[in-house]
Amino acid sequence: EVQLVQAGAEVKKPGESLKISCVGSGYTFANYWIGWVRQVPGKGLEWMGIVYPGDSDTRYSPSFEGQVTFSVDKSISTAYLQWISLKASDTAIYYCARTDPFIAGRPFDFWGQGTLVTVSS
Amino acid sequence: DIQLTQSPSTLSASVGDRVTISCRASQSIGTWLAWYQQKPGEAPALLIYRASTLETGVPSRFSGSGSGTEFTLTISSLQPDDLATYYCQQYNTYSGTFGQGTKLEIK
């Protein structure tokens, strides 16, 4: 069974750093892109970008480039989303999701449960 | 960037009704369009990909159509479990834009 399991909720202060995780299981982690999606509470979905665990190829949405960093450790089937200096406007639920858009033509077919990040002084 | 515009933003319908949600792309995306359902408090779930292919396990009352810039999600007979927000997404480039969502309410 394909699963993506995300880290628990985080509460941080503005200016602090944070790295959240997404662990894949039930499939060959290196062979599928992992995407990150932001959802501000009560609002819609925003595509942040994707990372390919096989070679760490990364594509960011222009809206998020320079604001966050994607990374992976394929040896432990884990993808990461990182901030160096959080802002209050980063408060949101962050989802990871599996995708294979370029070969199989599959969009986000399996999703993590989401990690709520709250940034408040 | 490709923009997606969904209509309507909210929709109220009765059990058994046929429901249609539209998604318009700012430029042609072929059939690289997906539809997702997000129930309150849950992660989104894939319903349809390549504009009209039903994801495994999704009830057959859901269907998708369209190509180019105009797409439609149809629920043939609305069920109480369909209370959710529905999103379209284009995924034919390295930028996977979402529509703004359509909130479906059951009368």
Side-chain angles (χ1 to χ4, degrees):
Chain A
E1 178 194 9
V2 174
Q3 282 192 311
L4 292 172
V5 177
Q6 296 187 238
E10 298 273 1
V11 180
K12 291 289 190 179
K13 291 182 167 42
E16 291 186 332
S17 64
L18 177 64
K19 191 174 189 178
I20 62 173
S21 63
C22 169
V23 181
S25 62
Y27 72 100
T28 303
F29 186 75
N31 291 353
Y32 290 80
W33 293 75
I34 291 290
W36 291 94
V37 176
R38 183 173 81 173
Q39 187 168 41
V40 173
K43 303 297 184 183
L45 304 174
E46 298 175 87
W47 191 92
M48 300 175 68
I50 53 176
V51 57
Y52 189 67
D55 60 6
S56 295
D57 187 7
T58 306
R59 311 288 170 146
Y60 295 96
S61 162
S63 300
F64 291 93
E65 182 133 37
Q67 309 304 308
V68 297
T69 302
F70 305 149
S71 60
V72 292
D73 184 343
K74 62 183 178 182
S75 70
I76 55 172
S77 300
T78 301
Y80 301 97
L81 170 60
Q82 182 175 8
W83 294 261
I84 299 300
S85 180
L86 286 159
K87 310 180 193 66
S89 57
D90 293 319
T91 295
I93 299 170
Y94 293 87
Y95 293 102
C96 65
R98 188 187 84 160
T99 180
D100 183 11
F102 307 116
I103 297 177
R106 300 275 295 170
F108 293 133
D109 57 1
F110 288 90
W111 292 67
Q113 80 276 24
T115 295
L116 174 62
V117 174
T118 303
V119 184
S120 174
S121 54
Chain B
D1 273 8
I2 298 172
Q3 308 299 320
L4 295 180
T5 303
Q6 287 184 232
S7 60
S9 296
T10 60
L11 178 57
S12 183
S14 299
V15 172
D17 282 355
R18 182 181 181 87
V19 168
T20 298
I21 298 170
S22 295
C23 179
R24 174 175 292 178
S26 59
Q27 64 189 74
S28 179
I29 56 171
T31 58
W32 296 103
L33 189 98
W35 290 97
Y36 300 89
Q37 177 192 64
Q38 187 178 31
K39 296 181 178 179
E42 296 184 7
L46 178 63
L47 295 175
I48 286 167
Y49 64 100
R50 291 303 304 271
S52 61
T53 302
L54 199 65
E55 175 69 344
T56 302
V58 173
S60 59
R61 64 180 180 274
F62 291 93
S63 63
S65 63
S67 66
T69 61
E70 300 285 343
F71 301 88
T72 300
L73 173 69
T74 300
I75 307 173
S76 60
S77 179
L78 190 66
Q79 301 301 304
D81 188 51
D82 299 337
L83 168 72
T85 300
Y86 293 84
Y87 295 92
C88 58
Q89 184 215 2
Q90 67 82 15
Y91 63 102
N92 76 327
T93 66
Y94 285 108
S95 177
T97 324
F98 288 96
Q100 81 278 17
T102 295
K103 185 175 182 179
L104 178 56
E105 300 169 347
I106 312 294
K107 282 183 187 172

